[in-house]
Amino acid sequence: MAKHCPECGFVTAEGAKYCERCGGFLGAGVTDTPRPEANTATYMIDEATGELRPVEVEDVASAGGALVIRSGAGRVGESLPLTGERMTLGRAPEADVFLDDVTVSRNHAVLVRRGSDWLLDDSGSLNGTYVNRNRIDSHVLADGDELQIGKFKLTYFAR
């Protein structure tokens, strides 16, 4: 009987301990049916108070796109609006998208607006930048793309 990875739903080989597609551990979580789509509550950090404020990701993305953190460092669900013409992503405290983990380079990647599109460029990071599980140097983002920067997984939402 076919088994599915609990992380990505990929049909795994008989007796495999790790998923061939995403590398997820198959241990006790292997199921007979694919994992249903999960919904994540989204929030933003209020700049004035520092409090978490629930938001609808569509509202955040309507201003020009958004990234939502799906996993990494206890920030699951945080919505990050994409603004301006250029945004840096990295472990440096001055990065526009600060991702505080040793798996993230100080200046890991950069997002650049070209017309209505956002391009994601790797900045020579040690661990690489991935979109939809493929390592990239440069990539035009499409709605629903999954980014991986270090241990952080983010989803891009277009307006």
Side-chain angles (χ1 to χ4, degrees):
M1 177 183 273
K3 300 287 184 178
H4 293 82
C5 172
E7 292 294 317
C8 70
F10 185 75
V11 178
T12 62
E14 188 71 30
K17 294 187 189 259
Y18 295 92
C19 177
E20 296 169 34
R21 179 194 283 167
C22 72
F25 180 65
L26 300 176
V30 177
T31 61
D32 292 331
T33 57
R35 182 179 77 172
E37 288 298 316
N39 292 325
T40 302
T42 56
Y43 68 89
M44 291 181 67
I45 298 173
D46 190 290
E47 291 181 22
T49 65
E51 297 288 320
L52 301 182
R53 180 173 46 94
V55 296
E56 292 294 326
V57 73
E58 293 81 14
D59 296 338
V60 177
S62 69
L67 294 175
V68 175
I69 298 176
R70 296 294 185 184
S71 67
R75 294 174 57 188
V76 172
E78 185 174 348
S79 294
L80 308 162
L82 301 183
T83 59
E85 298 300 313
R86 184 177 188 277
M87 294 180 70
T88 57
L89 296 91
R91 190 170 35 92
E94 60 274 3
D96 298 310
V97 178
F98 177 54
L99 301 172
D100 190 16
D101 188 76
V102 296
T103 61
V104 178
S105 295
R106 288 186 182 279
N107 300 305
H108 199 101
V110 64
L111 285 163
V112 179
R113 186 190 305 260
R114 296 276 190 255
S116 62
D117 293 329
W118 281 98
L119 279 73
L120 177 65
D121 295 327
D122 184 79
S123 297
S125 64
L126 182 62
N127 291 326
T129 300
Y130 295 80
V131 175
N132 301 324
R133 297 186 178 93
N134 296 307
R135 190 169 184 158
I136 59 103
D137 289 321
S138 184
H139 180 83
V140 177
L141 294 176
D143 187 48
D145 277 350
E146 181 185 83
L147 289 62
Q148 184 165 352
I149 297 175
K151 74 175 186 180
F152 288 89
K153 288 186 181 177
L154 307 99
T155 301
Y156 169 73
F157 290 93
R159 55 180 159 184

